[in-house]
Amino acid sequence: MRICLKGGRMVDPSQDLEGRCDLLIEGGRVAAVEPQISPGNARIIDLTGKTVLPGFIDLHVHLREPGFEDKETIASGTAAAAAGGITSLAAMPNTEPAADSAAVVELVRRKAAAAGHCRVYPVGALTRGRRGREPAAFNELYEAGVRAFSDDGSPVADSRLFLQIMRALARFPGAVIISHSEDLLLAAGGLLHEGAVSKRLGLPGIPAAAETAAVARDIILAQAAGVPLHLAHLSTAGSVELLAWAKERGLPVTAEVTPHHLLLTADEISRSGAVAKVNPPLRTADDCRALLEALRTGLIDIIATDHAPHTPAEKAAGLKEAPCGIAGLETAAPMLFTELVGKGKLSLSDLVRAYSCRPAELLGLEGGSLRRGAPADIVVIDLEAEGVVDPKSFYSRAGQSPFAGSPYRGRPVMTIVGGKIKMERGVVHEQKG
Ligand code: DOR
């Protein structure tokens, strides 16, 4: 099927393109990008007034299946992704069983293909069962096509084991370690960022050092092993300084930031309670500023949601008992357009670079570009569309968000994956056949 997207404003930093352009899709790929295309017998979609971007690529998503289907399934999580304009995602391995074998990786792939909402790249575990005691079966995972490895949700606390793992993975071309950098002893018992808010509420805090010290360790270990290291969900200004240190030395270190760490502070806990409980915790306004500045300059490479859904009942258990995690797939784009692009704090082109182009480069994925020949993975945005975040309308099973009730301006209105329309005006299509 041939589709011609006509009249939209295209923003694609991968080819320095910003302006009105037509785009022809043929055989699931971009066949042409030109100021005016005569569509012939192609289906025409008029996108006048809309913005056309390479589909978002989210490298940090918890789909929860197998094992925690009451929180999310591969079908519900990938539908939420399509609703959020995401065309590819990396699925974290903290499932039950953990993705530490080719069998689990294949299961995730099979279910994702059956759901058909977006591309899914399973992340393999670093340690067997994610228990932090022995390396996972890297040969088997690599042969199954896995290129990113992480125990996300937990750090590999044993430095000796982590160095051994890094040295082993350094031998696999293209393999990247995604580190959940946390010093468990420093973080133990904490419910929110240690600072003014934790003192006011009289609750145990998690010091910034619980992350920053672990980031330092992980960078030094990766330097010793010579392995590419990607730092997940950075939340402190100190981590940003260490990232700069690593990049100045030319180390293959990259990093991500989540929308909630960019846009929310520990104060959010007073408003949203356990719904805003997340690991690493929401920090201070100074941390948010440092993270945004690093994102703007490209020091922080990518935006990733760390979509971590939990059931409404689990989140209702109170701040102490509730699990950590924020569901981000369906709020990322509207909140980033509204709070950053709309307020002139981040250009649309920099947002696309961080949420489409760089993630593809980082894991060596197709996508992240609307160049001729690229897969037709596309998100169409209506930058004028206004609304209010309503978790009841989520495709995700997590029926809550700290952004609930936030007004937004700008949202994805069409998601195309491999030339097939997966979402239109907020409605995700069910896979046929
Ligand atoms: O808040 C979080 N939730 N942080 C993590 O690192 C893991 C995640 C989860 O899996 O729930």
PDB file of all heavy atoms in Angstrom, residues 17-52:
ATOM      1  N   LEU A  17      16.373  18.579   8.469  1.00  0.00           N
ATOM      2  CA  LEU A  17      15.182  18.977   7.727  1.00  0.00           C
ATOM      3  C   LEU A  17      14.170  19.617   8.667  1.00  0.00           C
ATOM      4  O   LEU A  17      13.833  19.042   9.710  1.00  0.00           O
ATOM      5  CB  LEU A  17      14.580  17.723   7.079  1.00  0.00           C
ATOM      6  CG  LEU A  17      13.419  17.939   6.128  1.00  0.00           C
ATOM      7  CD1 LEU A  17      13.866  18.720   4.912  1.00  0.00           C
ATOM      8  CD2 LEU A  17      12.864  16.582   5.690  1.00  0.00           C
ATOM      9  N   GLU A  18      13.727  20.786   8.318  1.00  0.00           N
ATOM     10  CA  GLU A  18      12.689  21.444   9.092  1.00  0.00           C
ATOM     11  C   GLU A  18      11.907  22.311   8.121  1.00  0.00           C
ATOM     12  O   GLU A  18      12.403  23.311   7.645  1.00  0.00           O
ATOM     13  CB  GLU A  18      13.329  22.289  10.213  1.00  0.00           C
ATOM     14  CG  GLU A  18      12.344  22.623  11.283  1.00  0.00           C
ATOM     15  CD  GLU A  18      12.977  22.981  12.642  1.00  0.00           C
ATOM     16  OE1 GLU A  18      14.164  22.694  12.872  1.00  0.00           O
ATOM     17  OE2 GLU A  18      12.252  23.566  13.442  1.00  0.00           O
ATOM     18  N   GLY A  19      10.702  21.886   7.782  1.00  0.00           N
ATOM     19  CA  GLY A  19       9.904  22.675   6.853  1.00  0.00           C
ATOM     20  C   GLY A  19       8.803  21.844   6.223  1.00  0.00           C
ATOM     21  O   GLY A  19       8.718  20.631   6.446  1.00  0.00           O
ATOM     22  N   ARG A  20       7.973  22.500   5.421  1.00  0.00           N
ATOM     23  CA  ARG A  20       6.836  21.830   4.795  1.00  0.00           C
ATOM     24  C   ARG A  20       7.344  20.820   3.756  1.00  0.00           C
ATOM     25  O   ARG A  20       8.212  21.140   2.943  1.00  0.00           O
ATOM     26  CB  ARG A  20       5.957  22.877   4.115  1.00  0.00           C
ATOM     27  CG  ARG A  20       4.469  22.664   4.270  1.00  0.00           C
ATOM     28  CD  ARG A  20       3.751  23.220   3.069  1.00  0.00           C
ATOM     29  NE  ARG A  20       4.244  22.539   1.863  1.00  0.00           N
ATOM     30  CZ  ARG A  20       3.666  21.486   1.309  1.00  0.00           C
ATOM     31  NH1 ARG A  20       2.566  21.002   1.814  1.00  0.00           N
ATOM     32  NH2 ARG A  20       4.182  20.916   0.239  1.00  0.00           N
ATOM     33  N   CYS A  21       6.814  19.615   3.796  1.00  0.00           N
ATOM     34  CA  CYS A  21       7.315  18.542   2.944  1.00  0.00           C
ATOM     35  C   CYS A  21       6.251  17.472   2.769  1.00  0.00           C
ATOM     36  O   CYS A  21       5.461  17.240   3.684  1.00  0.00           O
ATOM     37  CB  CYS A  21       8.496  17.878   3.658  1.00  0.00           C
ATOM     38  SG  CYS A  21      10.008  17.916   2.748  1.00  0.00           S
ATOM     39  N   ASP A  22       6.238  16.829   1.626  1.00  0.00           N
ATOM     40  CA  ASP A  22       5.414  15.629   1.454  1.00  0.00           C
ATOM     41  C   ASP A  22       6.296  14.413   1.680  1.00  0.00           C
ATOM     42  O   ASP A  22       7.518  14.468   1.499  1.00  0.00           O
ATOM     43  CB  ASP A  22       4.843  15.559   0.032  1.00  0.00           C
ATOM     44  CG  ASP A  22       3.837  16.673  -0.235  1.00  0.00           C
ATOM     45  OD1 ASP A  22       3.470  17.379   0.727  1.00  0.00           O
ATOM     46  OD2 ASP A  22       3.433  16.833  -1.400  1.00  0.00           O
ATOM     47  N   LEU A  23       5.649  13.314   2.066  1.00  0.00           N
ATOM     48  CA  LEU A  23       6.410  12.081   2.299  1.00  0.00           C
ATOM     49  C   LEU A  23       5.629  10.910   1.719  1.00  0.00           C
ATOM     50  O   LEU A  23       4.437  10.749   1.991  1.00  0.00           O
ATOM     51  CB  LEU A  23       6.637  11.898   3.808  1.00  0.00           C
ATOM     52  CG  LEU A  23       7.519  10.722   4.234  1.00  0.00           C
ATOM     53  CD1 LEU A  23       8.272  11.054   5.520  1.00  0.00           C
ATOM     54  CD2 LEU A  23       6.711   9.443   4.445  1.00  0.00           C
ATOM     55  N   LEU A  24       6.312  10.126   0.907  1.00  0.00           N
ATOM     56  CA  LEU A  24       5.664   8.967   0.281  1.00  0.00           C
ATOM     57  C   LEU A  24       6.132   7.685   0.950  1.00  0.00           C
ATOM     58  O   LEU A  24       7.335   7.464   1.135  1.00  0.00           O
ATOM     59  CB  LEU A  24       6.013   8.932  -1.213  1.00  0.00           C
ATOM     60  CG  LEU A  24       5.324   7.824  -2.017  1.00  0.00           C
ATOM     61  CD1 LEU A  24       3.825   8.091  -2.140  1.00  0.00           C
ATOM     62  CD2 LEU A  24       5.945   7.696  -3.416  1.00  0.00           C
ATOM     63  N   ILE A  25       5.151   6.853   1.325  1.00  0.00           N
ATOM     64  CA  ILE A  25       5.454   5.562   1.959  1.00  0.00           C
ATOM     65  C   ILE A  25       5.139   4.457   0.954  1.00  0.00           C
ATOM     66  O   ILE A  25       4.053   4.434   0.367  1.00  0.00           O
ATOM     67  CB  ILE A  25       4.586   5.351   3.221  1.00  0.00           C
ATOM     68  CG1 ILE A  25       4.833   6.461   4.241  1.00  0.00           C
ATOM     69  CG2 ILE A  25       4.838   3.978   3.823  1.00  0.00           C
ATOM     70  CD1 ILE A  25       3.859   6.450   5.417  1.00  0.00           C
ATOM     71  N   GLU A  26       6.091   3.571   0.791  1.00  0.00           N
ATOM     72  CA  GLU A  26       5.880   2.455  -0.133  1.00  0.00           C
ATOM     73  C   GLU A  26       6.591   1.230   0.443  1.00  0.00           C
ATOM     74  O   GLU A  26       7.751   1.339   0.867  1.00  0.00           O
ATOM     75  CB  GLU A  26       6.492   2.814  -1.493  1.00  0.00           C
ATOM     76  CG  GLU A  26       5.750   2.221  -2.659  1.00  0.00           C
ATOM     77  CD  GLU A  26       6.321   2.736  -3.983  1.00  0.00           C
ATOM     78  OE1 GLU A  26       6.500   3.950  -4.135  1.00  0.00           O
ATOM     79  OE2 GLU A  26       6.598   1.887  -4.829  1.00  0.00           O
ATOM     80  N   GLY A  27       5.897   0.107   0.473  1.00  0.00           N
ATOM     81  CA  GLY A  27       6.520  -1.115   1.003  1.00  0.00           C
ATOM     82  C   GLY A  27       7.009  -0.953   2.433  1.00  0.00           C
ATOM     83  O   GLY A  27       8.021  -1.535   2.799  1.00  0.00           O
ATOM     84  N   GLY A  28       6.310  -0.146   3.211  1.00  0.00           N
ATOM     85  CA  GLY A  28       6.665   0.014   4.623  1.00  0.00           C
ATOM     86  C   GLY A  28       7.832   0.946   4.873  1.00  0.00           C
ATOM     87  O   GLY A  28       8.270   1.106   6.012  1.00  0.00           O
ATOM     88  N   ARG A  29       8.353   1.545   3.813  1.00  0.00           N
ATOM     89  CA  ARG A  29       9.527   2.424   3.963  1.00  0.00           C
ATOM     90  C   ARG A  29       9.255   3.801   3.385  1.00  0.00           C
ATOM     91  O   ARG A  29       8.297   3.994   2.633  1.00  0.00           O
ATOM     92  CB  ARG A  29      10.738   1.798   3.258  1.00  0.00           C
ATOM     93  CG  ARG A  29      11.128   0.514   3.936  1.00  0.00           C
ATOM     94  CD  ARG A  29      12.495   0.028   3.564  1.00  0.00           C
ATOM     95  NE  ARG A  29      12.860  -1.007   4.514  1.00  0.00           N
ATOM     96  CZ  ARG A  29      13.716  -0.861   5.524  1.00  0.00           C
ATOM     97  NH1 ARG A  29      14.364   0.259   5.681  1.00  0.00           N
ATOM     98  NH2 ARG A  29      13.952  -1.845   6.366  1.00  0.00           N
ATOM     99  N   VAL A  30      10.126   4.722   3.737  1.00  0.00           N
ATOM    100  CA  VAL A  30      10.025   6.060   3.168  1.00  0.00           C
ATOM    101  C   VAL A  30      10.568   5.998   1.742  1.00  0.00           C
ATOM    102  O   VAL A  30      11.746   5.674   1.533  1.00  0.00           O
ATOM    103  CB  VAL A  30      10.840   7.075   4.001  1.00  0.00           C
ATOM    104  CG1 VAL A  30      10.775   8.461   3.370  1.00  0.00           C
ATOM    105  CG2 VAL A  30      10.347   7.097   5.444  1.00  0.00           C
ATOM    106  N   ALA A  31       9.699   6.281   0.771  1.00  0.00           N
ATOM    107  CA  ALA A  31      10.117   6.175  -0.632  1.00  0.00           C
ATOM    108  C   ALA A  31      10.563   7.528  -1.178  1.00  0.00           C
ATOM    109  O   ALA A  31      11.387   7.580  -2.092  1.00  0.00           O
ATOM    110  CB  ALA A  31       8.966   5.630  -1.475  1.00  0.00           C
ATOM    111  N   ALA A  32      10.033   8.604  -0.623  1.00  0.00           N
ATOM    112  CA  ALA A  32      10.441   9.937  -1.081  1.00  0.00           C
ATOM    113  C   ALA A  32      10.065  10.977  -0.036  1.00  0.00           C
ATOM    114  O   ALA A  32       9.075  10.828   0.678  1.00  0.00           O
ATOM    115  CB  ALA A  32       9.747  10.271  -2.410  1.00  0.00           C
ATOM    116  N   VAL A  33      10.898  12.008   0.056  1.00  0.00           N
ATOM    117  CA  VAL A  33      10.605  13.181   0.894  1.00  0.00           C
ATOM    118  C   VAL A  33      10.924  14.389   0.021  1.00  0.00           C
ATOM    119  O   VAL A  33      12.088  14.634  -0.286  1.00  0.00           O
ATOM    120  CB  VAL A  33      11.506  13.204   2.155  1.00  0.00           C
ATOM    121  CG1 VAL A  33      11.178  14.411   3.023  1.00  0.00           C
ATOM    122  CG2 VAL A  33      11.368  11.924   2.954  1.00  0.00           C
ATOM    123  N   GLU A  34       9.888  15.079  -0.387  1.00  0.00           N
ATOM    124  CA  GLU A  34      10.099  16.200  -1.308  1.00  0.00           C
ATOM    125  C   GLU A  34       9.084  17.294  -1.029  1.00  0.00           C
ATOM    126  O   GLU A  34       8.019  17.010  -0.481  1.00  0.00           O
ATOM    127  CB  GLU A  34       9.941  15.721  -2.764  1.00  0.00           C
ATOM    128  CG  GLU A  34      11.154  14.955  -3.285  1.00  0.00           C
ATOM    129  CD  GLU A  34      10.827  14.097  -4.494  1.00  0.00           C
ATOM    130  OE1 GLU A  34       9.951  14.495  -5.285  1.00  0.00           O
ATOM    131  OE2 GLU A  34      11.434  13.018  -4.627  1.00  0.00           O
ATOM    132  N   PRO A  35       9.385  18.508  -1.472  1.00  0.00           N
ATOM    133  CA  PRO A  35       8.449  19.611  -1.221  1.00  0.00           C
ATOM    134  C   PRO A  35       7.058  19.334  -1.800  1.00  0.00           C
ATOM    135  O   PRO A  35       6.049  19.701  -1.208  1.00  0.00           O
ATOM    136  CB  PRO A  35       9.106  20.802  -1.925  1.00  0.00           C
ATOM    137  CG  PRO A  35      10.561  20.450  -1.974  1.00  0.00           C
ATOM    138  CD  PRO A  35      10.649  18.957  -2.065  1.00  0.00           C
ATOM    139  N   GLN A  36       7.002  18.694  -2.963  1.00  0.00           N
ATOM    140  CA  GLN A  36       5.716  18.381  -3.594  1.00  0.00           C
ATOM    141  C   GLN A  36       5.827  17.008  -4.219  1.00  0.00           C
ATOM    142  O   GLN A  36       6.678  16.786  -5.076  1.00  0.00           O
ATOM    143  CB  GLN A  36       5.398  19.379  -4.716  1.00  0.00           C
ATOM    144  CG  GLN A  36       4.835  20.709  -4.277  1.00  0.00           C
ATOM    145  CD  GLN A  36       3.375  20.629  -3.824  1.00  0.00           C
ATOM    146  OE1 GLN A  36       2.719  19.601  -4.009  1.00  0.00           O
ATOM    147  NE2 GLN A  36       2.890  21.696  -3.219  1.00  0.00           N
ATOM    148  N   ILE A  37       4.974  16.078  -3.807  1.00  0.00           N
ATOM    149  CA  ILE A  37       4.993  14.751  -4.434  1.00  0.00           C
ATOM    150  C   ILE A  37       3.664  14.544  -5.144  1.00  0.00           C
ATOM    151  O   ILE A  37       2.595  14.798  -4.570  1.00  0.00           O
ATOM    152  CB  ILE A  37       5.200  13.651  -3.373  1.00  0.00           C
ATOM    153  CG1 ILE A  37       6.616  13.750  -2.775  1.00  0.00           C
ATOM    154  CG2 ILE A  37       4.993  12.259  -3.967  1.00  0.00           C
ATOM    155  CD1 ILE A  37       6.898  12.802  -1.632  1.00  0.00           C
ATOM    156  N   SER A  38       3.696  14.107  -6.397  1.00  0.00           N
ATOM    157  CA  SER A  38       2.450  13.724  -7.083  1.00  0.00           C
ATOM    158  C   SER A  38       2.154  12.297  -6.659  1.00  0.00           C
ATOM    159  O   SER A  38       2.915  11.389  -6.994  1.00  0.00           O
ATOM    160  CB  SER A  38       2.611  13.783  -8.598  1.00  0.00           C
ATOM    161  OG  SER A  38       3.274  14.955  -8.950  1.00  0.00           O
ATOM    162  N   PRO A  39       1.078  12.111  -5.919  1.00  0.00           N
ATOM    163  CA  PRO A  39       0.897  10.822  -5.253  1.00  0.00           C
ATOM    164  C   PRO A  39       0.451   9.682  -6.158  1.00  0.00           C
ATOM    165  O   PRO A  39       0.482   8.524  -5.734  1.00  0.00           O
ATOM    166  CB  PRO A  39      -0.180  11.124  -4.214  1.00  0.00           C
ATOM    167  CG  PRO A  39      -0.885  12.326  -4.709  1.00  0.00           C
ATOM    168  CD  PRO A  39       0.045  13.090  -5.568  1.00  0.00           C
ATOM    169  N   GLY A  40       0.059   9.956  -7.396  1.00  0.00           N
ATOM    170  CA  GLY A  40      -0.419   8.863  -8.263  1.00  0.00           C
ATOM    171  C   GLY A  40      -1.586   8.158  -7.595  1.00  0.00           C
ATOM    172  O   GLY A  40      -2.521   8.807  -7.121  1.00  0.00           O
ATOM    173  N   ASN A  41      -1.473   6.820  -7.477  1.00  0.00           N
ATOM    174  CA  ASN A  41      -2.598   6.068  -6.896  1.00  0.00           C
ATOM    175  C   ASN A  41      -2.456   5.858  -5.390  1.00  0.00           C
ATOM    176  O   ASN A  41      -3.160   5.052  -4.803  1.00  0.00           O
ATOM    177  CB  ASN A  41      -2.744   4.714  -7.606  1.00  0.00           C
ATOM    178  CG  ASN A  41      -1.478   3.879  -7.426  1.00  0.00           C
ATOM    179  OD1 ASN A  41      -0.483   4.365  -6.871  1.00  0.00           O
ATOM    180  ND2 ASN A  41      -1.513   2.641  -7.878  1.00  0.00           N
ATOM    181  N   ALA A  42      -1.538   6.595  -4.762  1.00  0.00           N
ATOM    182  CA  ALA A  42      -1.350   6.422  -3.315  1.00  0.00           C
ATOM    183  C   ALA A  42      -2.533   7.023  -2.552  1.00  0.00           C
ATOM    184  O   ALA A  42      -3.177   7.958  -3.018  1.00  0.00           O
ATOM    185  CB  ALA A  42      -0.056   7.106  -2.874  1.00  0.00           C
ATOM    186  N   ARG A  43      -2.778   6.454  -1.348  1.00  0.00           N
ATOM    187  CA  ARG A  43      -3.759   7.075  -0.453  1.00  0.00           C
ATOM    188  C   ARG A  43      -3.163   8.381   0.057  1.00  0.00           C
ATOM    189  O   ARG A  43      -2.017   8.414   0.503  1.00  0.00           O
ATOM    190  CB  ARG A  43      -4.042   6.118   0.713  1.00  0.00           C
ATOM    191  CG  ARG A  43      -4.905   6.746   1.767  1.00  0.00           C
ATOM    192  CD  ARG A  43      -5.168   5.814   2.934  1.00  0.00           C
ATOM    193  NE  ARG A  43      -5.730   6.579   4.024  1.00  0.00           N
ATOM    194  CZ  ARG A  43      -5.798   6.186   5.283  1.00  0.00           C
ATOM    195  NH1 ARG A  43      -5.336   4.988   5.612  1.00  0.00           N
ATOM    196  NH2 ARG A  43      -6.326   6.959   6.216  1.00  0.00           N
ATOM    197  N   ILE A  44      -3.958   9.459  -0.006  1.00  0.00           N
ATOM    198  CA  ILE A  44      -3.429  10.758   0.439  1.00  0.00           C
ATOM    199  C   ILE A  44      -3.938  11.066   1.839  1.00  0.00           C
ATOM    200  O   ILE A  44      -5.128  10.942   2.121  1.00  0.00           O
ATOM    201  CB  ILE A  44      -3.893  11.879  -0.531  1.00  0.00           C
ATOM    202  CG1 ILE A  44      -3.314  11.624  -1.920  1.00  0.00           C
ATOM    203  CG2 ILE A  44      -3.489  13.251  -0.002  1.00  0.00           C
ATOM    204  CD1 ILE A  44      -3.849  12.552  -2.987  1.00  0.00           C
ATOM    205  N   ILE A  45      -3.024  11.441   2.721  1.00  0.00           N
ATOM    206  CA  ILE A  45      -3.427  11.913   4.049  1.00  0.00           C
ATOM    207  C   ILE A  45      -2.994  13.369   4.156  1.00  0.00           C
ATOM    208  O   ILE A  45      -1.803  13.674   4.074  1.00  0.00           O
ATOM    209  CB  ILE A  45      -2.797  11.055   5.164  1.00  0.00           C
ATOM    210  CG1 ILE A  45      -3.239   9.591   5.011  1.00  0.00           C
ATOM    211  CG2 ILE A  45      -3.183  11.593   6.529  1.00  0.00           C
ATOM    212  CD1 ILE A  45      -2.638   8.638   6.044  1.00  0.00           C
ATOM    213  N   ASP A  46      -3.994  14.242   4.281  1.00  0.00           N
ATOM    214  CA  ASP A  46      -3.700  15.675   4.337  1.00  0.00           C
ATOM    215  C   ASP A  46      -3.259  16.049   5.752  1.00  0.00           C
ATOM    216  O   ASP A  46      -4.039  15.912   6.697  1.00  0.00           O
ATOM    217  CB  ASP A  46      -4.971  16.449   3.933  1.00  0.00           C
ATOM    218  CG  ASP A  46      -4.732  17.955   3.998  1.00  0.00           C
ATOM    219  OD1 ASP A  46      -3.546  18.378   4.128  1.00  0.00           O
ATOM    220  OD2 ASP A  46      -5.717  18.711   3.933  1.00  0.00           O
ATOM    221  N   LEU A  47      -2.027  16.508   5.892  1.00  0.00           N
ATOM    222  CA  LEU A  47      -1.501  16.852   7.217  1.00  0.00           C
ATOM    223  C   LEU A  47      -1.202  18.350   7.342  1.00  0.00           C
ATOM    224  O   LEU A  47      -0.348  18.763   8.141  1.00  0.00           O
ATOM    225  CB  LEU A  47      -0.240  16.028   7.515  1.00  0.00           C
ATOM    226  CG  LEU A  47      -0.466  14.512   7.615  1.00  0.00           C
ATOM    227  CD1 LEU A  47       0.843  13.786   7.901  1.00  0.00           C
ATOM    228  CD2 LEU A  47      -1.497  14.169   8.700  1.00  0.00           C
ATOM    229  N   THR A  48      -1.935  19.137   6.576  1.00  0.00           N
ATOM    230  CA  THR A  48      -1.763  20.580   6.681  1.00  0.00           C
ATOM    231  C   THR A  48      -1.969  21.016   8.134  1.00  0.00           C
ATOM    232  O   THR A  48      -2.941  20.600   8.775  1.00  0.00           O
ATOM    233  CB  THR A  48      -2.805  21.299   5.781  1.00  0.00           C
ATOM    234  OG1 THR A  48      -2.749  20.708   4.485  1.00  0.00           O
ATOM    235  CG2 THR A  48      -2.527  22.784   5.687  1.00  0.00           C
ATOM    236  N   GLY A  49      -1.032  21.790   8.632  1.00  0.00           N
ATOM    237  CA  GLY A  49      -1.151  22.286  10.018  1.00  0.00           C
ATOM    238  C   GLY A  49      -0.589  21.319  11.055  1.00  0.00           C
ATOM    239  O   GLY A  49      -0.518  21.648  12.232  1.00  0.00           O
ATOM    240  N   LYS A  50      -0.211  20.126  10.610  1.00  0.00           N
ATOM    241  CA  LYS A  50       0.329  19.142  11.551  1.00  0.00           C
ATOM    242  C   LYS A  50       1.860  19.065  11.417  1.00  0.00           C
ATOM    243  O   LYS A  50       2.439  19.557  10.438  1.00  0.00           O
ATOM    244  CB  LYS A  50      -0.260  17.748  11.282  1.00  0.00           C
ATOM    245  CG  LYS A  50      -1.775  17.696  11.260  1.00  0.00           C
ATOM    246  CD  LYS A  50      -2.365  17.858  12.644  1.00  0.00           C
ATOM    247  CE  LYS A  50      -3.845  17.497  12.691  1.00  0.00           C
ATOM    248  NZ  LYS A  50      -4.681  18.427  11.886  1.00  0.00           N
ATOM    249  N   THR A  51       2.483  18.429  12.382  1.00  0.00           N
ATOM    250  CA  THR A  51       3.940  18.286  12.399  1.00  0.00           C
ATOM    251  C   THR A  51       4.294  16.809  12.283  1.00  0.00           C
ATOM    252  O   THR A  51       3.695  15.972  12.964  1.00  0.00           O
ATOM    253  CB  THR A  51       4.500  18.882  13.707  1.00  0.00           C
ATOM    254  OG1 THR A  51       4.067  20.247  13.784  1.00  0.00           O
ATOM    255  CG2 THR A  51       6.010  18.845  13.747  1.00  0.00           C
ATOM    256  N   VAL A  52       5.221  16.496  11.404  1.00  0.00           N
ATOM    257  CA  VAL A  52       5.578  15.100  11.103  1.00  0.00           C
ATOM    258  C   VAL A  52       6.996  14.841  11.602  1.00  0.00           C
ATOM    259  O   VAL A  52       7.939  15.553  11.228  1.00  0.00           O
ATOM    260  CB  VAL A  52       5.494  14.846   9.577  1.00  0.00           C
ATOM    261  CG1 VAL A  52       5.857  13.407   9.250  1.00  0.00           C
ATOM    262  CG2 VAL A  52       4.092  15.179   9.057  1.00  0.00           C
TER     263      VAL A  52
END
